[in-house]
Amino acid sequence: MDSKQNGHTEVHGPVAGIFLEKTREKITIYQAMKKRLLKPGTALALLEAQAATVGIVDPINNRILPVADAVKEGIVGTEMKEKLLTAEKAVRGYLDPYTNQMISVYQAMQKDLVSRDYGLRLLEAQIATQGLFDPVEKSHISVESAIQKGYYEKGLLNDQMSELKVFYNPSLQENLNYHNLLEKCMVEPDTGLLLLPVCITFKGLRRGISSTELLASKIIDKETFDDLQKGKTTTQDVMLMETVKEYLNGKGSIAGIAILSSNQRMSIYQAMKKGILMPGTALVLLEAQAATGFMIDPVENKMFTVDEAIKNKVFGPEYYAKLRSAERAVTGYKDPYSGETISLFQAMTKELIILQHGIRLLEAQIATGGIIDPINSHRLPTEVAFKRGYFNEEMNAMLENPGDDTKGFFDPNTEENLTYFELMERCVIDPITGLCLLPLLDKSDKLNFNFIDHQTKMAFKEEKVNVVYGKYMGKTVSLWELLMSEYFDEHQRRDIIQKYREGKLNIKTIITTVLEIIEKSVKTTNVIFEGIRENVTAKQLEEADIISKEVLEDLKKGKVSVKDVIKDENVNMYLQGKDSIAGILLPDSQIMTIYQAKQKGKLMPGTALILLEAQAATGFIIDPIGNRKFSVDDAVKAKIVGPDVCHKLRSAEKAVTGYKNPYDGKIISLFQAMQKDLILKDHGIRLLEAQIATGGIIDPVNSHRIPVHVAYKKGYFNEEMNEILIDPSDDTKGFFDPNTLENLTYLQLMARCVRDPSTGLCLLPLKSKSNNISIDDNIRETFKTTVTVKYGRFNGKHTTLWDLINSEYLTEDKRQEFFKLFKSRKITVEQLIVTILEIIESKEIKQQAGLKIKGLRGEVSVVDLLELEIVDEKTYNSLVEGKMTSTDVMKMDSVRAYLQGKSCVGGGF
């Protein structure tokens, strides 16, 4: 990643905005987030990349603005201001607390001023666009120059790093790093701006699929395609078509094992571990899962890629390599001749995979919905697979008339070899999840109504039903699809199936029953959302501009459910908000409630009270240890807070439940209470700012948060107060950072918090008071001793010990350790110089591992040549110091003989 970019071969800006392919319009990244076209996390990361490279881009007017101006002009929202100002330091520079000089992102990472993952992301954005930024010269520089100046480290970034893949591309439905995301962008001809195209997409096996591709693959017809383009139908409607669903998601492989005698479900790997399945049988079934889309946990009803499955212990490490290999039937094989991605069948024809093994995986794909196109990430109709070279008539004939050679699966009940399709016919369906399970029988097993047999499933699939209510309204759907939908629970399913198998119900009666249950469900279901303290109706959300009129109508008709609507992150945020600062994280990683931290002297009483008031005013008092939320009164009962703060927290809680207007007795909001002087202005501003920082102003009458424009309309906020909060002065910074002793806004304090990985809660980290050594003038003076450095960026320059100890070669922990050792007289200046020089030498030598010379089949590291005594110390040092090049070394006879050999006999004459 380092070498390919910005030396400066191609310089362009960051992702400037979004291009909507359907309407052919461009919008800002913030607008795309508000329109729910981008996930909030991706939108923030894209804007941070802008701030860290050129500034915030207004693609509509082709302008670049500093963060503060972009917030004022509404190009980004106030809730992002603090995070974007932090990202902007990547071009303004970070202030070194030791030297008071401006330092680069990389140096700030080394000194723990920014987290490693965050710093790497900003560095990648700079390298992928304008180049790394030199905060002293105030200019962009190449990677090579940055390495020489100590602003970067060779090999720091690579394309495989998961911490860089935070950019979710909605069109491809996959997470990418910034460099790869830029490759997906288009250049606007008039402005040269990079725009990310967003189109109508469907969820494929590994990435998004465009409607154009579905039409080309004959999965949807021209009429459906046109309706999608005109907005007459939605992707959700199209996904309700069973044929489309099967081509995109498949029909489901054999997910696990059903022990009929005990009605137990277990994963295939678990059954193998318990000795219920032979290891070979288990492996073949697991390979079929990997080759048809996903590994399955049938107990939790979850699907995983192979890498995700091993992390979630769906199978053990002994199967990992084989399952990764089988998964290539989904993701594609690499053609060794052309480097292109090819399908399973093409890999078989090129003998990249053993024929028998390939046939087994291919047959599993066909049995579960069709051959997988690894490039477009979905299954194909057979005739399309023929056309694309992913299948042929000969192989089709072989699979349609299988001999013993092509029966690659084993029935543990009858000990027969079967095709995958034949084995699936012997499976049962779990009425809870709809998953296909291989039943294990013993001689006493009778008819079991806890599971659904394959024959019944197929009979129900063949019956087509016209539906007039609910999400399938106006569609013709199979009886099986309806029975397995959310309108029925497992007991209803079991009851219907049992009566059918006992001959008490026929298909016609079942269809009538099913339609009646759906109609009743739609007509009697209350469309109610869970608000902060009270339930919220769909109408309230529509009036607050949180959902559209169309969504409201769909909810009324039962076309979408409450569950579907709250999957939208924006809707969920207005209903539940983002968590406030939930607790304290101590240096030893112990988590405490804010009240506990006050009781144990970790927080000053005033600081603790203000943080608890912010919790109360944003929804709930939080127990970060038990991951529980309480009203103030319940928090006192549960001893999360003490009675000494109860009165003040009840008062702050009124920001959620509402204040009583003394003149007319009506419930009014926090802002209205401030205007009527029912609450002190400074106190009110603090609570209001906490609400905005955690998702939006709370409407106490309707018990949910509301967008700013709705708050204006209702009188819960105004322009003047917005200005005060956008540009906070010291007077309006009502929160205190116990680490730096600064007054901050709530948003600024939240930006300094960390997330608890197990609960996702926001925790304020308390730094150890004793950790950092105070540096006095005496130490600074002592460390001005001149040092000669042979390696790295200080080589040949006038350098002091103070320069070295504050350089990027040392981590913050190591720097503090050296200061402590020196102050306690456990190390002298001379010893310190020797130790630091050894660290620099070691680090530079490691970097020289990247200095390679061409060998017989690849490149050989210069460090390896030194260790093997192919080059001597003098030659090595000349290479490291740049006095010799790799070409000079290759001209040396002794080196060339070892690396290239001497000529062999070339032929006969």
Side-chain angles (χ1 to χ4, degrees):
M1 186 178 269
D2 304 339
S3 57
K4 289 177 191 170
Q5 298 161 49
N6 253 306
H8 288 285
T9 47
E10 185 188 352
V11 177
H12 49 69
V15 179
I18 302 299
F19 179 73
L20 304 179
E21 292 196 340
K22 188 176 168 185
T23 58
R24 315 292 297 168
E25 65 176 313
K26 62 177 169 179
I27 57 174
T28 69
I29 285 164
Y30 188 71
Q31 283 172 326
M33 183 192 84
K34 285 295 177 189
K35 285 177 183 274
R36 296 156 197 177
L37 299 169
L38 284 182
K39 291 184 174 184
T42 297
L44 176 62
L46 286 170
L47 288 165
E48 283 175 333
Q50 285 186 5
T53 53
V54 295
I56 302 299
V57 184
D58 170 7
I60 316 299
N61 301 302
N62 193 18
R63 296 181 302 160
I64 292 173
L65 302 166
V67 169
D69 292 349
V71 172
K72 276 182 185 166
E73 296 204 20
I75 291 161
V76 295
T78 52
E79 75 277 17
M80 291 183 166
K81 184 179 177 185
E82 289 309 320
K83 290 194 171 169
L84 296 182
L85 284 172
T86 303
E88 195 174 45
K89 287 181 183 174
V91 286
R92 291 183 183 273
Y94 298 81
L95 189 67
D96 188 327
Y98 301 102
T99 63
N100 285 328
Q101 291 174 342
M102 297 311 275
I103 57 173
S104 69
V105 182
Y106 174 68
Q107 291 167 316
M109 276 167 58
Q110 299 300 95
K111 298 197 175 194
D112 288 350
L113 299 179
V114 298
S115 70
R116 178 177 165 79
D117 288 2
Y118 178 71
L120 291 175
R121 223 167 60 222
L122 300 187
L123 286 169
E124 193 216 358
Q126 289 189 348
I127 290 171
T129 56
Q130 306 285 302
L132 290 164
F133 196 77
D134 180 337
V136 179
E137 300 292 331
K138 300 287 178 200
S139 63
H140 292 281
I141 55 173
S142 68
V143 167
E144 290 72 24
S145 302
I147 291 169
Q148 285 165 13
K149 292 185 172 191
Y151 296 161
Y152 192 65
E153 176 185 323
K154 196 167 188 176
L156 184 65
L157 300 178
N158 67 66
D159 260 340
Q160 305 312 311
M161 293 171 81
S162 59
E163 51 266 61
L164 298 178
K165 293 179 180 178
V166 298
F167 300 94
Y168 181 78
N169 184 340
S171 297
L172 295 176
Q173 294 179 8
E174 62 181 344
N175 279 351
L176 303 170
N177 60 34
Y178 200 65
H179 170 58
N180 292 143
L181 188 75
L182 288 172
E183 291 174 348
K184 309 293 177 195
C185 290
M186 54 172 277
V187 179
E188 189 179 38
D190 299 346
T191 62
L193 293 176
L194 282 185
L195 301 175
L196 180 66
V198 173
C199 59
I200 299 169
T201 54
F202 294 81
K203 190 173 176 60
L205 292 166
R206 288 295 183 278
R207 64 184 70 89
I209 309 158
S210 70
S211 51
T212 309
E213 164 55 25
L214 292 188
L215 178 66
S217 299
K218 300 187 178 175
I219 292 169
I220 60 172
D221 58 23
K222 184 74 168 68
E223 188 184 349
T224 306
F225 175 79
D226 289 342
D227 285 348
L228 275 165
Q229 300 310 308
K230 292 169 188 169
K232 287 182 181 176
T233 190
T234 64
T235 53
Q236 289 87 346
D237 287 334
V238 174
M239 276 303 288
L240 291 175
M241 298 176 185
E242 283 174 85
T243 51
V244 174
K245 198 158 104 177
E246 284 175 2
Y247 281 122
L248 297 190
N249 299 339
K251 295 175 184 175
S253 57
I254 298 169
I257 302 300
I259 314 289
L260 295 191
S261 56
S262 60
N263 293 324
Q264 195 184 353
R265 301 147 180 82
M266 65 174 69
S267 73
I268 289 164
Y269 184 74
Q270 202 181 356
M272 186 276 288
K273 278 295 186 188
K274 290 191 173 185
I276 297 168
L277 275 185
M278 296 287 286
T281 304
L283 174 61
V284 166
L285 289 173
L286 287 170
E287 283 181 328
Q289 283 188 6
T292 55
F294 297 96
M295 308 306 299
I296 306 167
D297 176 347
V299 181
E300 295 294 325
N301 190 19
K302 288 182 178 173
M303 296 199 287
F304 304 97
T305 63
V306 169
D307 283 348
E308 289 166 351
I310 195 162
K311 286 177 194 164
N312 285 277
K313 299 180 179 172
V314 176
F315 64 84
E318 71 274 29
Y319 284 167
Y320 178 69
K322 284 190 157 64
L323 295 181
R324 271 300 295 269
S325 174
E327 190 178 37
R328 286 190 193 145
V330 177
T331 58
Y333 298 80
K334 192 173 182 180
D335 186 330
Y337 308 105
S338 66
E340 290 176 357
T341 297
I342 58 173
S343 74
L344 169 59
F345 176 69
Q346 289 168 323
M348 288 162 65
T349 58
K350 288 178 187 280
E351 297 181 4
L352 301 179
I353 180 171
I354 296 165
L355 184 67
Q356 294 304 111
H357 188 221
I359 287 173
R360 196 164 66 228
L361 303 185
L362 202 57
E363 198 257 317
Q365 285 190 356
I366 293 166
T368 57
I371 286 165
I372 291 170
D373 176 339
I375 294 166
N376 294 302
S377 199
H378 60 79
R379 293 164 190 271
L380 294 169
T382 304
E383 68 274 15
V384 179
F386 285 161
K387 206 177 284 181
R388 292 186 184 178
Y390 295 162
F391 200 37
N392 68 11
E393 294 280 5
E394 186 189 343
M395 182 59 71
N396 193 30
M398 189 190 293
L399 294 178
E400 280 180 351
N401 296 292
D404 286 340
D405 294 343
T406 53
K407 291 184 175 181
F409 296 89
F410 181 75
D411 183 342
N413 296 305
T414 62
E415 301 187 353
E416 293 172 274
N417 288 327
L418 303 172
T419 66
Y420 198 66
F421 187 75
E422 287 168 339
L423 191 61
M424 285 182 80
E425 286 185 315
R426 298 185 183 187
C427 287
V428 294
I429 311 303
D430 183 345
I432 302 170
T433 61
L435 294 173
C436 179
L437 303 174
L438 179 64
L440 292 186
L441 316 161
D442 62 37
K443 286 170 188 172
S444 64
D445 279 333
K446 296 172 189 167
L447 210 55
N448 186 315
F449 295 116
N450 285 297
F451 297 98
I452 304 168
D453 63 292
H454 182 77
Q455 288 71 23
T456 303
K457 175 184 172 176
M458 295 319 292
F460 278 38
K461 267 188 91 70
E462 282 164 21
E463 284 298 325
K464 301 300 176 190
V465 184
N466 294 319
V467 189
V468 290
Y469 288 99
K471 72 175 190 177
Y472 297 103
M473 187 195 302
K475 291 186 167 54
T476 301
V477 188
S478 75
L479 179 56
W480 175 256
E481 178 82 3
L482 295 178
L483 190 64
M484 297 311 292
S485 69
E486 67 270 26
Y487 296 110
F488 297 86
D489 62 29
E490 58 177 294
H491 304 294
Q492 289 170 304
R493 288 173 193 146
R494 278 198 191 115
D495 184 51
I496 289 169
I497 297 294
Q498 184 172 344
K499 285 176 180 169
Y500 170 73
R501 286 171 71 186
E502 290 172 344
K504 292 175 183 175
L505 285 177
N506 61 27
I507 290 283
K508 194 176 176 184
T509 315
I510 291 170
I511 290 171
T512 306
T513 306
V514 163
L515 290 175
E516 282 171 357
I517 290 170
I518 293 172
E519 183 182 349
K520 187 182 174 187
S521 171
V522 170
K523 286 182 174 176
T524 58
T525 300
N526 282 330
V527 182
I528 297 293
F529 295 84
E530 188 187 340
I532 300 167
R533 291 299 173 80
E534 306 289 337
N535 286 336
V536 180
T537 66
K539 184 66 181 162
Q540 285 171 302
L541 293 184
E542 188 267 328
E543 284 170 353
D545 207 15
I546 293 167
I547 62 171
S548 66
K549 278 190 170 67
E550 290 76 23
V551 171
L552 176 64
E553 286 306 309
D554 286 347
L555 279 163
K556 282 180 184 172
K557 292 173 187 171
K559 285 186 82 175
V560 295
S561 65
V562 167
K563 199 174 170 185
D564 295 329
V565 173
I566 60 173
K567 279 180 188 169
D568 186 313
E569 289 177 43
N570 287 295
V571 173
N572 204 32
M573 189 178 70
Y574 284 121
L575 287 168
Q576 300 298 323
K578 292 183 281 188
D579 284 323
S580 56
I581 298 170
I584 300 301
L585 182 68
L586 299 181
D588 62 1
S589 297
Q590 186 190 347
I591 296 169
M592 271 188 186
T593 69
I594 288 166
Y595 190 77
Q596 265 178 323
K598 182 199 90 159
Q599 294 292 85
K600 299 204 172 188
K602 306 287 182 188
L603 279 182
M604 296 287 285
T607 305
L609 176 63
I610 283 168
L611 289 173
L612 286 169
E613 283 179 331
Q615 284 189 4
T618 55
F620 299 96
I621 300 295
I622 305 170
D623 166 14
I625 300 155
N627 191 17
R628 298 176 298 167
K629 295 177 182 180
F630 301 92
S631 66
V632 170
D633 286 350
D634 289 345
V636 174
K637 283 178 199 163
K639 298 184 179 172
I640 304 300
V641 295
D644 55 317
V645 292
C646 181
H647 176 70
K648 291 202 165 165
L649 295 186
R650 273 185 186 157
S651 173
E653 191 175 38
K654 286 180 184 170
V656 177
T657 57
Y659 298 81
K660 196 172 182 181
N661 188 340
Y663 307 107
D664 59 13
K666 286 183 179 174
I667 297 294
I668 59 172
S669 74
L670 168 59
F671 178 66
Q672 289 167 323
M674 287 163 64
Q675 287 183 313
K676 291 183 186 293
D677 294 333
L678 301 180
I679 180 171
L680 289 172
K681 188 182 176 185
D682 287 354
H683 189 220
I685 286 174
R686 196 163 64 228
L687 304 185
L688 202 57
E689 198 256 319
Q691 285 190 356
I692 292 167
T694 56
I697 289 163
I698 291 173
D699 176 343
V701 177
N702 293 300
S703 195
H704 60 77
R705 294 167 190 266
I706 49 178
V708 171
H709 67 278
V710 177
Y712 286 160
K713 211 180 285 179
K714 291 193 170 203
Y716 292 171
F717 200 42
N718 67 13
E719 291 278 4
E720 186 190 345
M721 184 55 71
N722 196 25
E723 283 298 317
I724 289 169
L725 295 179
I726 282 176
D727 243 336
S729 63
D730 287 339
D731 296 340
T732 52
K733 290 181 177 177
F735 295 88
F736 182 73
D737 184 340
N739 296 309
T740 63
L741 312 182
E742 294 170 275
N743 288 328
L744 302 172
T745 64
Y746 199 64
L747 201 58
Q748 287 170 332
L749 192 60
M750 283 181 80
R752 297 184 182 188
C753 289
V754 294
R755 290 266 164 206
D756 178 354
S758 57
T759 63
L761 293 174
C762 183
L763 303 173
L764 180 63
L766 286 189
K767 292 179 182 169
S768 173
K769 298 285 185 270
S770 59
N771 263 7
N772 282 11
I773 295 289
S774 58
I775 312 299
D776 54 33
D777 290 341
N778 188 30
I779 288 182
R780 287 173 201 267
E781 207 53 48
T782 308
F783 281 22
K784 282 191 178 167
T785 309
T786 302
V787 183
T788 303
V789 186
K790 290 182 182 177
Y791 298 96
R793 71 181 179 98
F794 292 112
N795 179 20
K797 293 179 183 170
H798 174 79
T799 311
T800 65
L801 176 56
W802 180 248
D803 294 329
L804 297 184
I805 205 163
N806 282 301
S807 72
E808 70 283 357
Y809 289 106
L810 301 185
T811 63
E812 185 58 25
D813 288 344
K814 186 57 80 177
R815 192 172 1 265
Q816 288 296 327
E817 183 192 327
F818 285 155
F819 282 140
K820 272 185 196 172
L821 289 170
F822 181 75
K823 262 202 148 181
S824 58
R825 303 192 177 183
K826 289 179 181 170
I827 194 168
T828 63
V829 166
E830 290 73 23
Q831 289 169 320
L832 199 50
I833 289 170
V834 170
T835 308
I836 292 174
L837 286 177
E838 282 174 358
I839 289 170
I840 293 172
E841 185 174 345
S842 164
K843 209 162 186 183
E844 285 296 331
I845 284 173
K846 272 185 190 168
Q847 288 209 29
Q848 297 315 317
L851 194 58
K852 297 181 188 290
I853 292 176
K854 195 174 178 187
L856 287 168
R857 285 288 186 278
E859 293 181 324
V860 184
S861 161
V862 173
V863 176
D864 291 339
L865 296 183
L866 178 66
E867 285 174 1
L868 294 166
E869 298 181 5
I870 292 171
V871 298
D872 58 20
E873 192 84 39
K874 186 181 172 187
T875 306
Y876 173 77
N877 287 334
S878 297
L879 261 170
V880 170
E881 289 162 16
K883 292 175 185 172
M884 284 181 81
T885 65
S886 53
T887 310
D888 297 331
V889 174
M890 275 302 289
K891 285 177 182 172
M892 297 165 69
D893 291 342
S894 58
V895 175
R896 192 170 63 251
Y898 281 116
L899 292 183
Q900 302 292 338
K902 295 173 184 176
S903 290
C904 58
V905 176
F909 176 66

